[in-house]
Each structure stands twice: as C-alpha cells, then as structure tokens.
Amino acid sequence: MDSKTTKLPAYSETLSIEGMTCASCVGRVEKALKKVENVEIASVNLATEKAVVYSNQPIQREALVKAVERAGYDVPKAAPVELSIEGMTCASCVARVEKALKKVDGVQEATVNLATEQAWVQADASVNVEDLIRAVKKADYDAKASEKNQDEQLDKKASELDQLKKDLIISIVLALPVFILEMGSHLIPAFHMWVMHTIGQYNSWLLQFALTTLVLVFPGRRFYQKGIPALWRLAPDMNSLVAVGTLAAYSFSVVATFMPHVLPQGTVNVYFEAAAVIVSLILLGRYFEAKAKGRTSQAIQHLVGMQPKTARIQRDGQVVEVAVTEVVSGTIVEIRPGERVPVDGEVVEGHSYIDESMITGEPVPVEKIVGHQVVGGTVNQNGTLNIRATAVGSSSVLSQIIRMVEQAQGSKLPIQGLVDKVTMWFVPVVMLIAAITFLVWFIWGPDPALTFGLVNAVAVLIIACPCAMGLATPTSIMVGTGRGAELGVLFRKGEALQLLQEAQVVAVDKTGTLTEGKPTLTDFNVQQGFEREQVLTLVASVEAKSEHPIALAIVQAAESEGLNLLPVTAFNSITGSGIEAEVLGQKVQIGADRYMHQLGLDTNSFQAIAAQLGEEGKTPLYVAI
C-alpha cells in the first residue's frame, strides 16, 4: 500500500542514537538536529533508535553527531567494514590498497594487513561494501566482503536485554525484603510486633538502608547516569523523574535514620521501600519495552534469512561453492533442486519450476526456461538451472524489499508528531506539578505536612511516565509492517498504516494472495461405471512422471489415501495441453477441457460440476481412460 507521496529534500543522513529512553528524548534529539545548518527535516524514531535527517544541501555528518552529543545522547560509530584482499605481495601493495580505500567518499580510516590479507575500513553509514570493493579493484587487486555475523546487531540487543534482565532480578531480590519489612508492618499489626521484638525498628531501618543503597547504586545507576546530567542541561527526561523521585525518598529516609533530630516531630519515617520498589517497577517496564522492540526486528531477519549464504558458480570450467558476496553480475550460477536462488538472474540453461510466492503471492510454482528471469530468495523445485547473475548485493529485489520494510519501520506517522510535541513539554510540566504539590501539602496540609508533601510530590514524579505515549506509535508501526512483510504484504511507508483505517473496500488482484500457498486436490468426481480409487490410482501413477506442481498435489493425495502407484509406459507431455501414458495396458490422458475437445471427447456431463468448481476458485482437470 502507499499513500500520496511528498517530495523529500535531495540529501539525507541516517544516525543511530543511543541513550534515548522516553518520548521526550525524541523531541530533544529532533530539536538539536534541526538547529544544525541546512537541516530541513529531522525525524527520530524511539523504537528503532534511529534519526533520519534531510537537507537540500550536503550535510556534514560530524556536525550532526556533535549536535546529538551536546543534547546528551550518543551516536555509536559504524562497525568497521572488513574486506579480504587478494593479490598483495609486498608493503607497497598495502600502501596502494590503503590509498585507494581512503579516496572513497565517507571513508575515515583504512588499515590493511599484509600477513592476514585483511582490510579494516572505518566509514560513514552511507558507504557500502560495493564502493570499497570497486576502489580496490581499480588499484588492480581483488577484494571481497569478509563473512561477518549478520546477527551482530541482534546479538548486541540481546546482550542489552540480558543485562537489563539481570538488573531487574537483582533489584527485585533486594527490594522485596525492604517492601516486606516496611509495608508488612503497616498492613499486618502482628508482623509489626514481631519486627519490633526481634529485629527492632532501628535495625529494620538499617537493613532497609543497606538493601536500598545496593538497589540504587547497581541496578538503578542507569537512571542517575542519564537523568542527572539531563537536569543540569535543563532538559529533564523520564530518567530525571525517576532520579529525582527516588533520591528524594532515599535522602529523606537517610536523614530520618541517621539524623532524626533535624526533622520536625512526627515526621520521622522512612521511605526506603518507595525508592527500591520504584526502581524495580521502572526496570520491569523497561524490560517489557525492550522485549517488544526486539520482537519487531524478527520480520527483517526472516527476510534476510531467505537469501542463501553461498552460491555455486562456474569458474575455470568447474563448479565451486563460494560466499554469495563473491558473486558479481555476469557470473554463471548453478541452482540445484530444492535450493533457494542466491541472486537475481536470467536462465541460460535448464528447465524447472520455481516457487515465487514470496514475491507474487501466487501458490503455483512458475515454469522457468532459457531466457526467463529468476529472483533471489525464491525456491527452485525439481530441475537444475544455470543462470547468469544480473543483480547482486543491494541491487537485488530481495535487498530492495528489505530496505523498503526497514524504511517503513523507521518512518513516523502524522499522529506521532502530536505525541512528540506533547511529550517534549511533559517532563518539565510534571516536575513543576510535583513542586506545586509539595508546596500545597507543606503549607496547607495536615501534620506531618512535610511527610505528606514529600510522599505526594514523589508520587507525582513516579507515576507520570511518557514512555507509553512515545513507544506506542513507533512500536505499532514496526510490528504492523514487520508482520505484513512475513505474510507478503509490504508497506512502502508507515503512514499507509494510519491511512488504512479509512479503507472501506479491500480489492485483491491475485487469488494467490488468498490461498494456502500450494495446490491441493479438493474434489475427485467419476462417471458411472468407474471406481474412484481405481481411477485415482491410474491418474496419480501418470502424474508421478510429471514435474508440474498440480501433478505433485494429485500424487500426494493418492499417497495420503494409501494407494500404491503403478508402473507407467509411453509417457508423453503435450505442451500447453496435458499428458498421456499407458498404465497396465490402459491409455490415460489428462488435461484441461480444451485437450479433451482436441481428442474429440464430450465434457458436457461434467459441465455443471466444472462450473461450480470454477466459482469456488478451483481448477478443473479432465481424465480420459
């Protein structure tokens, strides 16, 4: 689906952003990027943790990075590109390769090792591997991309999720005794008496102090590392809310424990459990958010997994297996039965059927002969093909689909603009309301006014979390577009998802998009004088000699009924009409109605049944025995 397109400025730059935790962070990063000279549009997505900047003139990436860093967030350096270099024989070769790589626009640093024949290139995200390989080849050396773990980014996210899970568990284990000691005493008088007679109130407070300190220093440190610097920049975020709220409760409790004489009479109480439990609950929320964001990338990985890692190519008269990254346009690639097509290409030898349902949605595999085009990622069925590669790497159809889905996942819906405007001011307003709450309770509240003021101000700080608003829209885009990609429905823009709510009618132009994805035998009708099982056995025996997908469906139906196939002789395939053969001396002819008419046979007795099957979207075949 697509919506009305709006023309974007000619130049764009994509940055990965680290350190964003809530929707207000999105607003601050966008605001910082828009201040950079020549920047027209800045769009930041919390779920994908990426920023896309558009301009009518070339933008200096370094200026964008510095703007993000000044706002208190990090832009991780792109992972170095690793190349395998062939043909180097001496140190001067190393210098030539390094010089060639450094000439590529966007390359910051290039290091070549003669012993390992490897090159490491630090470059902007805009530089692709093909550009680097071409530069090396211009210097008269051969280069190819070293095989790297494509799940590197996923592994990083998984590591972060594991760390978050560990912090959550530690926080809960430490906070639970604090909660039981304090709240149990309030809720259950008998438990309060038990604590007083065994541990004692002061020792209970000391134990709570020790456990809460551990919670704040270790699992909770992330909130202070991000939240307090944001406060100094006068740009508070959700981390700032948690930091101020927990530190207020913790600091008051520390004073009540160790310096109770400085507090007004009747206000000496501790709120260690508030600080410890708040950290645990916010970590729990962050963990669920991280899991939700992690699941959204599975669709992209599903698409990436459709592309084979290796390909068989013809080299010096022999067929050798190489990494798919080594295949270049013009290479002859061999594809065996059951294998995925490694690259886009044109058939130069062979005959087969290819399952293209991932591209077209059609359930029936498509016949491929010399001159036909094939698409990388589709599945070869039963014949061997030799193809000439026409599109490899980022120019292949599958790569373009993956790129389109990634762009849709990273896009921003119109409604998200309103959310970002609200959340930009949300945190400062919440802190102002918390301050007003404290003052109102402290001035006009009942005794102990200080305690009531502190508790209610902390409550306002903690329950006000804009994370849900900020994550709801981008996460729904990622889940929606990702799930659609898995089912073969591709969205060019996330905006199309929002416009979909206005749809009144859905028109489908291919029956294949509404089927199970493979043909099956649904009905089998015979005239009087014929037995169904006997006829099905004869038909399946003949169809077993055919490579057509419908033939396979008939054979599978016979085998599922426990029928044994019979020997077949004189098999002949009539192109465009049907097939014929002899089974135990009986001639069997199978095909469409036009084939029966060519044979001079009358199909009127099946006319009503054929019409009904056609209305149900089924394909009728006829058998003459």
Side-chain angles (χ1 to χ4, degrees):
M1 293 192 67
D2 200 355
S3 57
K4 292 182 180 179
T5 56
T6 54
K7 190 174 181 181
L8 292 171
Y11 297 93
S12 67
E13 188 75 47
T14 301
L15 303 175
S16 294
I17 312 291
E18 289 185 348
M20 296 190 298
T21 56
C22 63
S24 58
C25 300
V26 170
R28 285 192 185 85
V29 175
E30 286 185 349
K31 188 176 179 181
L33 289 171
K34 286 175 182 175
K35 288 181 180 178
V36 177
E37 188 178 359
N38 297 327
V39 170
E40 301 286 335
I41 302 171
S43 177
V44 179
N45 189 300
L46 177 61
T48 59
E49 296 179 326
K50 290 186 184 296
V52 184
V53 179
Y54 298 94
S55 172
N56 287 316
Q57 299 179 33
I59 320 169
Q60 289 293 329
R61 182 182 175 89
E62 281 302 312
L64 299 175
V65 172
K66 287 178 180 177
V68 172
E69 290 175 345
R70 278 197 300 270
Y73 304 92
D74 296 321
V75 178
K77 282 189 175 182
V81 178
E82 190 174 333
L83 300 175
S84 295
I85 311 294
E86 295 179 2
M88 296 189 300
T89 56
C90 61
S92 60
C93 298
V94 170
R96 286 193 196 95
V97 174
E98 286 184 351
K99 185 177 180 181
L101 288 170
K102 287 176 181 177
K103 283 183 178 179
V104 177
D105 288 339
V107 171
Q108 299 151 3
E109 187 179 346
T111 304
V112 179
N113 187 304
L114 178 61
T116 61
E117 296 185 322
Q118 298 286 313
W120 290 269
V121 183
Q122 188 71 52
D124 296 343
S126 58
V127 178
N128 57 51
V129 177
E130 285 84 357
D131 294 335
L132 300 175
I133 291 176
R134 277 195 292 270
V136 173
K137 288 189 174 180
K138 281 183 181 178
D140 294 329
Y141 300 93
D142 290 325
K144 63 181 180 180
S146 295
E147 289 194 53
K148 298 181 74 176
N149 186 4
Q150 291 186 346
D151 296 333
E152 188 176 334
Q153 189 65 22
L154 280 181
D155 290 343
K156 182 182 177 184
K157 291 293 180 186
S159 176
E160 291 174 359
L161 186 64
D162 287 342
Q163 184 59 49
L164 190 55
K165 185 178 180 180
K166 288 176 184 175
D167 284 349
L168 174 62
I169 292 172
I170 292 170
S171 178
I172 291 174
V173 169
L174 294 173
L176 196 58
V178 178
F179 180 80
I180 292 172
L181 279 173
E182 187 60 29
M183 298 309 295
S185 298
H186 289 298
L187 298 175
I188 306 171
F191 183 76
H192 174 71
M193 296 301 295
W194 180 82
V195 170
M196 292 296 102
H197 287 94
T198 54
I199 304 175
Q201 185 182 59
Y202 186 68
N203 288 333
S204 172
W205 287 6
L206 287 177
L207 181 58
Q208 292 179 49
F209 162 74
L211 294 174
T212 304
T213 301
L214 292 174
V215 170
L216 301 190
V217 169
F218 294 104
R221 69 188 178 279
R222 64 183 69 219
F223 301 115
Y224 310 110
Q225 289 171 341
K226 299 288 184 182
I228 293 175
L231 277 176
W232 294 127
R233 293 192 303 270
L234 299 179
D237 58 8
M238 183 57 203
N239 292 305
S240 304
L241 290 182
V242 177
V244 171
T246 54
L247 283 177
Y250 178 77
S251 301
F252 182 88
S253 301
V254 169
V255 172
T257 302
F258 298 103
M259 294 180 289
H261 56 276
V262 304
L263 296 175
Q265 190 174 4
T267 64
V268 181
N269 295 293
V270 295
Y271 301 98
F272 289 120
E273 89 286 347
V277 170
I278 284 164
V279 168
S280 299
L281 291 177
I282 299 296
L283 283 175
L284 180 63
R286 293 274 173 92
Y287 177 69
F288 287 147
E289 288 170 7
K291 286 197 72 173
K293 287 195 288 185
R295 280 196 298 268
T296 57
S297 62
Q298 291 177 357
I300 296 294
Q301 297 308 309
H302 173 73
L303 291 173
V304 171
M306 288 183 174
Q307 185 170 19
K309 303 294 185 292
T310 60
R312 292 185 182 87
I313 66 171
Q314 292 185 3
R315 181 182 288 170
D316 300 330
Q318 294 184 335
V319 176
V320 294
E321 188 169 323
V322 299
V324 74
T325 53
E326 292 185 41
V327 180
V328 297
S329 294
T331 303
I332 302 300
V333 182
E334 181 183 282
I335 309 165
R336 296 176 183 175
E339 294 181 344
R340 285 192 181 272
V341 179
V343 294
D344 297 359
E346 180 184 342
V347 178
V348 295
E349 184 182 348
H351 170 264
S352 185
Y353 288 86
I354 287 185
D355 179 0
E356 295 185 337
S357 58
M358 62 161 280
I359 301 295
T360 64
E362 295 291 351
V364 180
V366 180
E367 184 180 21
K368 296 294 179 182
I369 58 174
V370 174
H372 286 188
Q373 299 294 317
V374 296
V375 178
T378 55
V379 182
N380 185 28
Q381 297 290 292
N382 43 28
T384 298
L385 294 175
N386 283 344
I387 68 168
R388 179 182 291 107
T390 56
V392 297
S394 60
S395 60
S396 68
V397 171
L398 184 59
S399 294
Q400 292 176 43
I401 290 174
I402 292 170
R403 189 158 55 247
M404 186 168 65
V405 175
E406 286 178 333
Q407 289 171 351
Q409 286 193 342
S411 63
K412 183 172 289 191
L413 269 61
I415 195 173
Q416 184 67 16
L418 174 62
V419 172
D420 290 346
K421 286 179 182 176
V422 172
T423 53
M424 183 68 182
W425 295 99
F426 188 86
V427 175
V429 169
V430 167
M431 300 193 77
L432 179 62
I433 293 173
I436 294 171
T437 301
F438 175 79
L439 290 174
V440 168
W441 278 92
F442 184 70
I443 296 171
W444 292 290
D447 290 330
L450 178 63
T451 300
F452 283 122
L454 179 64
V455 169
N456 288 294
V458 170
V460 170
L461 289 171
I462 298 308
I463 64 171
C465 175
C467 296
M469 285 193 293
L471 273 173
T473 305
T475 303
S476 65
I477 294 174
M478 293 178 71
V479 173
T481 55
R483 182 60 178 152
E486 287 179 353
L487 299 175
V489 180
L490 301 179
F491 290 84
R492 286 189 60 201
K493 289 187 176 181
E495 186 181 354
L497 275 175
Q498 184 172 334
L499 295 176
L500 193 60
Q501 66 174 332
E502 302 170 10
Q504 301 295 320
V505 177
V506 178
V508 181
D509 68 341
K510 289 185 176 70
T511 56
T513 58
L514 303 177
T515 65
E516 293 181 0
K518 60 180 181 179
T520 55
L521 180 65
T522 58
D523 303 84
F524 197 85
N525 298 285
V526 297
Q527 288 187 333
Q528 289 185 350
F530 289 92
E531 292 185 6
R532 181 185 179 283
E533 287 189 359
Q534 182 182 9
V535 175
L536 181 56
T537 300
L538 293 173
V539 173
S541 299
V542 176
E543 292 286 16
K545 299 295 182 181
S546 172
E547 296 179 344
H548 199 280
I550 292 179
L552 178 62
I554 295 172
V555 173
Q556 289 175 340
E559 291 175 346
S560 67
E561 294 185 19
L563 303 178
N564 296 318
L565 302 185
L566 303 173
V568 174
T569 57
F571 178 85
N572 182 33
S573 176
I574 298 98
T575 304
S577 296
I579 56 176
E580 62 180 10
E582 289 188 7
V583 183
L584 299 180
Q586 285 184 296
K587 190 165 188 177
V588 181
Q589 296 166 307
I590 308 168
D593 53 354
R594 62 179 179 277
Y595 182 43
M596 297 296 113
H597 296 154
Q598 291 173 10
L599 297 174
L601 299 174
D602 185 10
T603 60
N604 288 333
S605 58
F606 286 108
Q607 188 172 1
I609 296 175
Q612 179 184 343
L613 294 174
E615 290 177 0
E616 295 173 359
K618 300 173 182 177
T619 304
L621 287 177
Y622 295 85
V623 180
I625 299 177

